[in-house]
């Protein structure tokens, strides 16, 4: 297959992905916003829109900013298809992003390529389906499972899912990029030590941490290019 | 009928289950299309299968963690809404915080079934949905332009070459560093600056997971066991979570 043929086939796929992605997001939005009203008709009590407005001003603005940051930062990692799916299914930081990065790493695709777009979509779809299945089974077995999952003995394990995930991923990515990793790690540790209240806003701190890592990576990249040119 | 029985009624399951079924169908459609497109552009089916297997195994443990979020919320919001919230756009770290804040915003003393009323419930449900929906709104409005700009090769550079790939890895390193930094901060200054009396457990779990991952990588690279790659993250997490049970209290 020639590169032109491949590009044409991928362009056709990509175009339809955007149509389907927008449609799926639009329908999900309507369902999500409509569900409380549907539930309200079942319960005989519609949402109190004045209380909703007050609540949105109190907490919604913070999450609006967080959503914008997440969109700008994560979309390049996820690609088009993966992006639509990830923003529909959620759990980005604790699952979808590490999952897509891990799949990309295992297969060895490069950012911005058609292969990366395909692998990212497959990865997000597979992980989302597993989550839906586990939650559905869990809800079905909620009563018999509850004592096991909520037992005091297992609590530390489930309280530490995210550290377990990031510990594994840290080794995988730090070992080949130690010169880049050391700076954000040290700067973030110092910041969190000096301003302990920041631990409540860790998701916001990803942005400066990521910007610092990208800045340092850029310096090394430029240095390598200069050396190669010399 | 108690409020929890109303919130756990078959009608509520039908509404939430229907939305989740729709999202499930979307995932299947995207997966099948991506698989077919991969084959059409000449990708190796074995590689795609590895990506799916690795992602599926990767997702199991975090999904159990998310299930715990469903269980935690189900005591006050009922099982169907908690199930929906954590299956569609929801996020483990977000839901409990927003549910609590939303309960206060609608005038409840806190998030509990004893104080819950049907109006408070539907208002909280609407607030939880609207607060986190912006990623989807932005995707509808800008995804096409944003992703095409990211994948358009600049003059003289092929897609996939240049700095883009390094930048993505660096961004991920930044993400992981922010979280590990927060564990260091919690231990050193969690109970007052430089008191060193916070929990050491998250840091110990990070260290054990990293060690386990080192073991998996050694097996894959030195013992030619490439197949362990697909299970290395899930395996490292199991080891680290088991260590958390043994090391609790530190």
């Amino acid at each position: 297959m020639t590169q032109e043929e491949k590009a044409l086939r991928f362009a056709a796929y990509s175009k339809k992905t955007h149509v389907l992605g927008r449609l799926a997001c639009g329908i999900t939005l309507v369902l999500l916003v409509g569900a409380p009203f549907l539930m309200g008709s079942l319960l005989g009590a519609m949402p109190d829109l004045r209380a909703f407005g007050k609540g949105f001003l109190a907490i919604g603005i913070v999450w609006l900013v967080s959503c914008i940051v997440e969109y700008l930062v994560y979309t390049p990692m996820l690609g088009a298809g993966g992006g639509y799916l990830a923003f529909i299914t959620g759990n980005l930081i604790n699952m979808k992003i590490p999952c897509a990065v891990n799949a990309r790493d295992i297969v060895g695709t490069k950012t911005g390529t058609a292969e990366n777009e395909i692998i990212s979509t497959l990865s997000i779809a597979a992980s989302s389906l597993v989550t839906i299945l586990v939650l559905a089974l869990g809800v079905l077995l909620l009563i018999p499972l509850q004592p096991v999952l909520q037992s005091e003995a297992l609590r530390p394990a489930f309280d530490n899912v995210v550290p377990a995930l990031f510990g594994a991923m840290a080794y995988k990515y730090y070992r080949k990029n130690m010169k880049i990793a050391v700076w954000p790690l040290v700067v973030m540790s110092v910041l969190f030590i000096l301003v302990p209240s920041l631990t409540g806003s860790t998701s916001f701190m990803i942005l400066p941490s990521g910007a610092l890592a990208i800045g340092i990576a850029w310096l090394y990249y430029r240095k390598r290019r200069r050396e190669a040119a010399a | 009928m108690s409020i929890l029985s109303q919130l756990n009624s078959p009608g509520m399951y039908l509404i939430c289950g229907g939305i989740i079924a729709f999202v499930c169908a979307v995932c299947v459609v995207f997966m099948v299309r991506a698989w077919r497109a991969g084959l059409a552009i000449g990708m190796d089916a074995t590689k795609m299968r590895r990506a799916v297997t690795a992602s599926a195994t990767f997702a199991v443990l975090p999904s159990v963690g998310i299930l715990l979020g469903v269980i935690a919320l189900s005591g006050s919001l009922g099982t169907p809404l908690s199930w929906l919230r954590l299956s569609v756009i929801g996020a483990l770290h977000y839901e409990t915080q927003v549910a609590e804040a939303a309960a206060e915003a609608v005038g409840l003393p806190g998030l509990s079934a004893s104080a819950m009323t049907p109006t408070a419930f539907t208002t909280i449900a609407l607030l939880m949905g609207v607060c986190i929906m912006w990623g989807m709104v932005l995707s509808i409005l800008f995804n096409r332009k944003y992703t095409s700009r990211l994948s358009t090769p600049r003059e003289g550079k092929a897609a996939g070459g240049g700095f883009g790939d390094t930048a993505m890895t660096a961004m991920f390193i930044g993400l992981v560093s922010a979280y590990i930094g927060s564990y260091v901060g919690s231990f050193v200054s969690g109970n007052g600056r430089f008191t060193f009396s916070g929990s050491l457990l998250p840091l110990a779990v990070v260290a054990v997971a990293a060690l386990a991952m080192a073991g998996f990588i050694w097996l894959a690279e030195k013992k030619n066991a490439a197949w362990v790659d697909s299970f290395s993250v899930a395996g490292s997490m199991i080891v680290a979570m088991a260590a958390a049970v043994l090391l609790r209290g530190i």
Side-chain angles (χ1 to χ4, degrees):
Chain A
M1 185 193 313
T2 64
Q3 282 300 315
E4 249 176 47
E5 272 176 335
K6 184 179 156 182
L8 273 175
R9 285 180 186 181
F10 183 69
Y13 163 78
S14 213
K15 195 176 170 188
K16 205 167 174 193
T17 298
H18 284 295
V19 174
L20 280 174
R22 284 172 170 177
L23 192 68
C25 282
I27 295 173
T28 311
L29 269 178
V30 171
L31 292 174
L32 197 75
V33 177
F37 292 94
L38 206 58
M39 291 171 180
S41 67
L42 210 68
L43 297 168
M46 286 294 160
D48 176 348
L49 292 180
R50 186 172 287 187
F52 165 78
K54 224 169 80 183
F56 185 76
L57 285 177
I59 53 171
I61 304 296
V62 177
W63 289 100
L64 174 63
V65 176
S66 169
C67 287
I68 293 172
V69 171
E70 282 192 346
Y71 175 77
L72 292 174
V73 172
Y74 299 142
T75 302
M77 292 185 183
L78 298 165
Y84 286 117
L85 273 188
F87 285 109
I88 288 174
T89 54
N91 285 299
L92 277 96
I93 297 170
N94 56 327
M95 190 198 293
K96 304 292 158 51
I97 302 293
C99 193
V101 171
N102 186 50
R104 187 189 79 172
D105 196 50
I106 287 174
V107 178
T109 57
K110 300 279 179 194
T111 306
T113 59
E115 287 80 3
N116 192 59
E117 165 75 36
I118 300 288
I119 292 298
S120 173
T121 307
L122 287 174
S123 168
I124 306 282
S127 59
S128 302
L129 286 170
V130 168
T131 305
I132 289 173
L133 192 72
V134 169
L135 293 195
L137 283 175
V139 164
L140 213 67
L141 302 169
L142 199 57
I143 296 165
L145 267 183
Q146 211 154 339
V148 181
L149 291 172
Q150 287 187 312
S151 72
E152 270 308 302
L154 287 184
R155 208 173 141 184
F158 291 110
D159 280 349
N160 285 284
V161 171
V162 175
L165 170 62
F166 285 148
M169 299 303 277
Y171 181 82
K172 208 168 177 178
Y173 287 89
Y174 282 12
R175 74 188 191 114
K176 285 183 183 162
N177 301 286
M178 216 40 223
K179 284 180 184 169
I180 298 171
V182 71
W183 292 105
L185 187 60
V186 169
V187 170
M188 284 297 122
S189 299
V190 170
L191 262 175
F192 281 109
I193 288 170
L194 295 177
V195 192
S197 58
L198 281 177
T199 45
S201 319
T202 308
S203 53
F204 286 101
M205 296 308 288
I206 293 168
L207 202 62
S209 181
L212 179 63
I214 290 175
I216 293 160
W218 169 248
L219 291 177
Y220 281 115
Y221 173 77
R222 212 172 54 172
K223 193 180 160 196
R224 270 203 312 273
R225 278 186 57 182
R226 272 190 198 150
E227 283 170 0
Chain B
M1 198 191 257
S2 76
I3 182 77
L4 268 183
S5 325
Q6 290 181 64
L7 303 185
N8 289 326
S9 65
M12 301 290 271
Y13 273 104
L14 203 66
I15 294 169
C16 297
I19 299 173
I20 294 167
F22 169 74
V23 170
C24 195
V26 170
C27 291
V28 173
V29 169
F30 270 68
M31 196 172 185
V32 171
R33 286 190 70 248
W35 185 276
R36 286 183 182 157
L39 292 178
I41 62 167
M43 282 178 77
D44 184 354
T46 317
K47 281 188 174 180
M48 292 198 286
R49 202 169 295 123
R50 273 186 80 192
V52 171
T53 314
S55 303
T57 51
F58 185 111
V60 173
L61 281 175
S63 300
V64 177
I66 295 166
L67 176 62
L68 288 177
V70 175
I71 293 173
L73 282 176
S74 62
S76 45
L77 294 175
T79 306
L81 180 68
S82 312
W83 177 33
L84 172 69
R85 288 304 319 124
L86 283 157
S87 300
V88 184
I89 337 178
L92 195 55
H93 65 285
Y94 159 89
E95 299 301 339
T96 15
Q97 280 179 46
V98 173
E100 187 75 34
E104 283 171 26
V106 299
L108 297 183
L111 191 66
S112 75
S114 57
M116 189 64 70
T117 64
T119 306
F121 169 79
T122 50
T123 312
I124 290 171
L126 184 63
L127 204 47
M128 287 172 85
V130 170
C131 282
I132 206 169
M133 68 183 194
W134 304 105
M136 273 202 299
V137 174
L138 292 170
S139 293
I140 294 172
L141 296 175
F142 305 114
N143 220 3
R144 188 172 193 155
K145 266 191 183 166
Y146 192 31
T147 51
S148 63
R149 234 181 88 182
L150 291 165
S151 59
T152 306
R154 299 225 181 109
E155 235 172 281
K157 282 181 189 173
F163 183 62
D165 220 40
T166 315
M168 286 308 112
T169 305
M171 188 65 222
F172 190 72
I173 286 173
L175 185 155
V176 173
S177 301
Y179 275 87
I180 297 179
S182 77
Y183 305 144
V184 175
S186 295
F187 167 62
V188 177
S189 301
N191 296 326
R193 215 170 284 165
F194 294 107
T195 51
F196 290 88
S197 58
S199 174
L200 196 55
L201 191 57
L203 274 177
V205 170
V206 165
V208 173
L211 273 174
M213 179 54 94
F216 281 114
I217 288 178
W218 179 80
L219 280 175
E221 290 180 356
K222 305 286 178 194
K223 297 288 169 188
N224 289 327
W227 60 271
V228 298
D229 245 359
S230 306
F231 308 97
S232 58
V233 177
S236 306
M237 286 175 73
I238 290 178
V239 173
M241 286 165 71
V245 173
L246 298 173
L247 297 171
R248 84 183 100 176
I250 64 164

